């Protein structure tokens, strides 16, 4: 009888194991299907007005491509109806394997200039495509796509387009014979660490074919004598006076004017301890800028005088502001300046007229359809957050919120009515089910207040039981390090929430949006203070948030966020982190600075420390040198074409820690650069990550 009972018990056990396996397979299938839906949520933005149409970029095809939409224009100037700009169906203009980004119409033409790189390597080339508006059909078609830059190992960055020229920066190979008298600059250019400013006439651009435009028709108009410093173009005037913004370090910026005809250069700021952005000339001597030179450390509006460089007058009324102004823009023939106030990661939209005596008029807040964030990125996506229509009657912007995916909106500046111009697919999910973030503060080890966004899951939990009082949590750390987590939509966050995780996004010291002192609070020898902020966030939640299980925290981040993840695990192992996900993160600041793209090194040394002067600090704050203390498992993800953080940073760290924990894993993509941008790769990454986290939770239990 005992033997029989034992056999029956074993059969029961086997049946139970089969049931468990079947249940796990069903759970995994459900997870994968749900993830596919979230990764299918689309994104669009970066509107540029053309004639009878607007272009934008959209990732519905799996990566960003360029689309265009006709606009029905009502010529009745007395009719303020929003149907003056009524969009029709969109047309896809580019069908490239690689992403096409940051598209801009050439004024008064059907031509669009855009960027394209190869496998995420960020060696952006410039392309042009011609559009055709079929008036009778009210449709758009495209033709004659061509890349017109000639050095595929260089980076090209579009700066401005006017009625005659396009202006771009490039570290492309110089012609030695042409620059034989400037050997030092030629040698620097061989290393591709010097960006010069070029221009090419629009006439040549339209009429010439292929690479001969960049090779034969372009001209250097600003020869840069400072390797590693990029002379970004802020303002170009009719008289060809160019305002250049030179960024030497986090706060070491300068504004210079350069006259193309005379080659005269004037330093407008005579300072290198502040941030500066040129906005527009108010007259021949007075330039409107944004700067953080005032006592409250926040970016505000000021006037600098070309005749008396270094004299700065703060615009009256902005002396005691509480938040930073960002992303100011204007059109040449429009008297208003449009700008955004960054209120702790939420956007407020304003406009005003500015005068050379540091006064303003017609200041007003412009309505947004909901509380969220107006988006602007870099060349990898789009660089223009606000865009005025050619007639000055409409303002377009890209808006999202933590529970609302990004779409393009059009504001009628006369009626103050807003129209949604684009509709994106949510992967079959219901947008009203998305979770809205909440903003909180906590005090770190030294009393500094640190803001963070928190999301809590609703009752639809795929991985955790509804009976559990506490839920595991993802800490998602932003990159930069001078970036900022905002009230932005992130499909990863919403997916983690549906799986039953809380999500917390802190803006640790060094983040943007809170003034220059906060920006400087993590530099060089203070680097680990920002990592302590992460530890103290976990301690704060343990004491003050009954919903989050602080014994089950996964730290996750990309780029600098990946570095901060590795530091958290290596410098504070006593926190018993459940695990960490490092995406394209640095592990050794010494080898990172040695091996990052040449043009980036000088600026990055200003942030992290000099290889010559701060070697001991760099070694001390590098997580690879504390790898033996890391006990938590790490999931590493990196692309082979990363020019910012070389793949070797991940490979070397993986070798150091792989034997510390059997769950440590490496995922390498051969068609990605600094981040995971391809839809299929995103699905693979987060499928594997969530499966990995499931294993960690079971092991913990």
């Amino acid at each position: 009888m005992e033997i029989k009972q034992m056999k029956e018990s074993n059969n029961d056990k086997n049946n139970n194991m089969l049931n468990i396996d079947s249940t796990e397979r069903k759970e995994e299938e459900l997870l994968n299907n749900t993830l596919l839906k979230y990764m299918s949520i689309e994104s669009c933005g970066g509107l540029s007005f053309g004639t009878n149409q607007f272009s934008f970029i959209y990732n519905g095809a799996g990566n960003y491509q360029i689309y265009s939409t006709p606009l029905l224009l009502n010529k009745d100037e007395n009719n303020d109806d929003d149907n003056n700009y009524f969009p029709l169906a969109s047309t896809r203009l580019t069908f490239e394997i690689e992403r096409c980004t940051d598209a801009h119409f050439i004024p008064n033409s059907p031509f669009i200039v855009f960027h394209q790189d190869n496998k995420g390597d960020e060696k952006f080339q410039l392309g042009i495509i011609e559009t055709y508006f079929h008036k009778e059909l009210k449709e758009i078609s495209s033709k004659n796509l061509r890349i017109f830059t000639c050095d595929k190992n260089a980076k090209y960055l579009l700066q401005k387009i006017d009625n005659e020229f396009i202006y771009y920066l490039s570290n492309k190979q110089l012609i030695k014979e042409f620059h034989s008298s400037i050997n030092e600059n030629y040698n620097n250019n061989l290393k591709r660490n010097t960006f010069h400013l070029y221009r090419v006439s629009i006439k040549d651009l339209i009429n010439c074919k292929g690479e001969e435009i960049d090779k034969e028709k372009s001209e250097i108009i600003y020869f840069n004598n400072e390797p590693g410093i990029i002379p970004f173009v802020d303002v170009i005037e009719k008289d060809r006076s160019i305002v250049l913004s030179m960024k030497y370090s986090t706060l070491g910026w300068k504004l210079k004017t350069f006259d193309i005809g005379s080659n005269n250069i004037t330093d407008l700021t005579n300072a290198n301890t502040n941030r500066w952005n040129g906005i527009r000339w108010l007259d021949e001597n007075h330039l409107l800028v944004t700067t953080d030179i005032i006592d409250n450390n926040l970016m505000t509006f000021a006037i600098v005088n070309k005749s008396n460089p270094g004299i700065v007058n703060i615009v009256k009324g902005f002396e005691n502001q509480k938040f930073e102004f960002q992303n100011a823009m204007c059109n040449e023939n429009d008297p208003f300046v449009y700008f955004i106030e960054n209120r702790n990661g939420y956007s407020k939209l304003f406009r005003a007229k500015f005068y050379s005596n540091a006064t303003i008029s017609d200041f007003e807040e412009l309505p947004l359809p909901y509380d969220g964030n107006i988006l602007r990125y870099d060349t990898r996506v789009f660089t223009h957050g606000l865009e005025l229509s050619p007639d000055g009657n409409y303002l377009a912007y890209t808006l999202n919120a933590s529970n609302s995916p990004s779409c393009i909106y059009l504001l009628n500046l006369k009626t103050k009515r807003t129209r949604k111009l684009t509709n994106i697919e949510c992967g079959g999910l219901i947008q009203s089910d998305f979770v809205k973030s909440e903003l909180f503060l906590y005090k770190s080890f030294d009393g500094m207040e640190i803001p963070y966004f928190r999301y809590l899951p609703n009752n639809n939990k795929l991985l955790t039981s509804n009976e559990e009082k506490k839920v595991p949590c993802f800490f998602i750390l932003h990159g930069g390090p001078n970036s900022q987590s905002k009230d932005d939509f992130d499909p990863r966050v919403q997916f983690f929430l549906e799986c039953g995780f809380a999500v917390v996004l802190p803006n640790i010291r060094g983040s943007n949006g809170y003034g220059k002192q906060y920006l400087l609070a993590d530099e060089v020898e203070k680097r680990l203070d920002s990592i302590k902020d992460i530890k103290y966030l976990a301690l704060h939640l343990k004491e003050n948030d009954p919903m989050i299980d602080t014994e089950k925290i996964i730290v996750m981040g990309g780029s600098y966020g990946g570095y901060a993840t590795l530091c958290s695990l290596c410098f504070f192992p006593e926190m018993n982190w459940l695990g960490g996900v490092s995406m394209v993160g640095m592990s050794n600041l010494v080898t990172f600075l040695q091996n990052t793209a040449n043009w980036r090194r000088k600026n990055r040394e200003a942030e992290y420390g000099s290889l010559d002067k701060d070697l001991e600090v760099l070694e001390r704050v590098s997580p690879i040198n504390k790898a033996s203390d890391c006990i938590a498992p790490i999931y590493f993800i990196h692309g082979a074409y990363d020019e910012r953080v070389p793949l070797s940073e991940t490979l070397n760290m993986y070798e150091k820690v792989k034997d510390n924990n059997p769950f440590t894993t490496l995922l390498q993509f051969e068609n990605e650069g600094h981040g995971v941008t391809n839809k299929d790769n995103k699905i693979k990454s987060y499928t594997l990550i969530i499966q990995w986290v499931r294993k960690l939770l079971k092991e913990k239990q």
Side-chain angles (χ1 to χ4, degrees), residues 99 115-117 120-126 149-159 168-173 189 192 194-196 198 214 230 232 378-380 597 599-600 641 643-644 674:
R99 60 184 173 184
H115 294 80
Q116 185 181 65
D117 64 347
D121 65 1
E122 296 189 65
K123 294 175 181 176
F124 284 104
Q125 305 295 302
L126 292 175
T149 45
C150 64
D151 189 341
K152 305 309 177 189
N153 292 313
K155 180 192 289 285
Y156 294 80
L157 300 172
L158 180 66
Q159 296 297 290
Y168 57 90
L169 293 165
S170 180
N171 59 348
K172 69 177 180 176
Q173 188 68 64
N189 193 257
R192 302 193 187 283
T194 306
F195 280 78
H196 306 293
Y198 297 80
D214 180 45
I230 303 179
F232 292 102
D378 58 23
T379 308
R380 291 172 291 179
W599 65 270
R600 304 183 73 247
Y641 285 81
E643 74 159 1
R644 301 186 184 213
H674 193 63

Side-chain angles (χ1 to χ4, degrees), residues 10-63:
N10 283 336
N11 288 334
D12 290 342
K13 183 178 180 180
N14 290 336
N15 289 334
N16 289 335
M17 288 295 294
L18 290 173
N19 290 334
I20 291 173
D21 290 342
S22 176
T23 301
E24 288 184 349
R25 283 195 298 271
K26 289 180 180 179
E27 287 180 355
E28 191 166 306
E29 183 178 344
L30 178 59
L31 276 171
N32 292 342
N33 290 337
T34 304
L35 175 62
L36 179 60
K37 292 180 180 180
Y38 280 100
M39 291 299 106
S40 297
I41 297 175
E42 298 163 349
S43 177
C44 66
L47 180 145
S48 178
F49 283 107
T51 304
N52 297 324
Q53 60 180 304
F54 66 88
S55 69
F56 60 99
I57 65 166
Y58 173 52
N59 67 354
N63 62 3

Side-chain angles (χ1 to χ4, degrees), residues 281-293:
W281 287 105
L282 301 175
D283 56 36
E284 62 181 14
N285 282 320
H286 295 92
L287 179 71
L288 176 67
V289 303
T290 53
T291 179
D292 60 6
I293 198 171

Side-chain angles (χ1 to χ4, degrees), residues 303-327:
I303 310 295
V304 296
N305 192 326
K306 186 177 181 180
S307 300
N308 294 288
I311 303 299
V312 182
N313 294 312
I314 304 301
V315 173
K316 295 177 178 65
F318 293 144
E319 301 92 342
N320 299 309
Q321 70 192 62
K322 296 181 179 180
F323 304 100
E324 292 208 317
F325 293 134
Q326 298 176 342
N327 300 346

Side-chain angles (χ1 to χ4, degrees), residues 77 84-85 334 338 388-395 411-415:
E77 296 182 357
N84 284 359
Y85 277 82
D334 189 286
Y338 298 82
L388 268 176
S389 63
D391 59 14
N393 292 328
Y394 294 84
L395 181 71
L411 173 64
N412 185 321
L413 293 170
K414 293 182 179 180
T415 66

Side-chain angles (χ1 to χ4, degrees), residues 44 327 373-377 382 384-385 398-400 406 488:
C44 66
N327 300 346
N373 182 38
I374 294 176
L375 300 176
R376 179 187 178 188
Y377 300 103
F382 57 87
H384 42 304
T398 305
L399 182 72
N400 79 356
S406 62
D488 283 336

Side-chain angles (χ1 to χ4, degrees), residues 166-362:
I166 72 163
Y167 300 81
Y168 57 90
L169 293 165
S170 180
N171 59 348
K172 69 177 180 176
Q173 188 68 64
L174 296 175
I175 302 172
K176 186 173 183 179
E177 291 74 18
F178 184 76
H179 298 287
S180 58
S181 61
I182 317 176
N183 292 325
E184 182 180 352
N185 281 300
Y186 174 72
N187 290 331
N188 281 325
N189 193 257
L190 284 176
K191 302 174 185 177
R192 302 193 187 283
N193 64 354
T194 306
F195 280 78
H196 306 293
L197 179 61
Y198 297 80
R199 74 177 180 185
V200 63
S201 77
I202 291 173
K203 181 179 179 180
D204 285 339
L205 180 61
I206 292 172
N207 294 329
C208 295
K209 295 182 179 180
E211 298 175 0
E212 67 183 70
I213 301 168
D214 180 45
K215 190 179 296 184
E216 301 176 9
K217 301 294 184 179
S218 66
E219 60 173 324
I220 296 180
I221 57 171
Y222 179 76
F223 198 92
N224 183 14
N225 292 313
E226 299 182 87
I229 304 301
I230 303 179
F232 292 102
V233 177
D234 282 354
V235 185
I236 295 180
E237 290 293 295
K238 290 179 180 180
D239 62 0
R240 303 304 175 204
S241 173
I242 298 178
V243 178
L244 301 173
S245 176
M246 316 285 284
K247 297 177 174 61
Y248 295 86
S249 63
T250 304
L251 294 182
W253 300 12
K254 290 186 178 182
L255 283 180
K256 297 181 179 182
T257 60
F258 173 72
D259 294 316
I260 296 177
S262 65
N263 290 335
N264 289 333
I265 300 174
T266 302
D267 186 342
L268 289 174
T269 50
N270 284 348
N272 58 0
T273 57
N274 299 99
R275 294 173 289 168
W276 305 89
N277 286 308
I279 309 302
R280 78 181 331 166
W281 287 105
L282 301 175
D283 56 36
E284 62 181 14
N285 282 320
H286 295 92
L287 179 71
L288 176 67
V289 303
T290 53
T291 179
D292 60 6
I293 198 171
I294 57 177
D295 293 338
N296 66 7
N297 303 313
L298 300 173
M299 290 291 280
T300 191
F301 287 99
I303 310 295
V304 296
N305 192 326
K306 186 177 181 180
S307 300
N308 294 288
I311 303 299
V312 182
N313 294 312
I314 304 301
V315 173
K316 295 177 178 65
F318 293 144
E319 301 92 342
N320 299 309
Q321 70 192 62
K322 296 181 179 180
F323 304 100
E324 292 208 317
F325 293 134
Q326 298 176 342
N327 300 346
M329 66 82 60
C330 57
N331 277 4
E332 184 176 337
N333 298 318
D334 189 286
F336 283 96
V337 173
Y338 298 82
F339 55 96
I340 297 166
E341 185 182 62
N342 179 352
R343 294 188 182 178
N344 294 318
Y346 300 89
S347 294
K348 295 295 180 181
L349 180 61
F350 296 90
R351 72 172 178 176
K353 297 176 183 177
F354 291 80
Y355 303 97
S356 59
N357 63 352
T359 61
I360 61 170
S361 69
D362 300 283

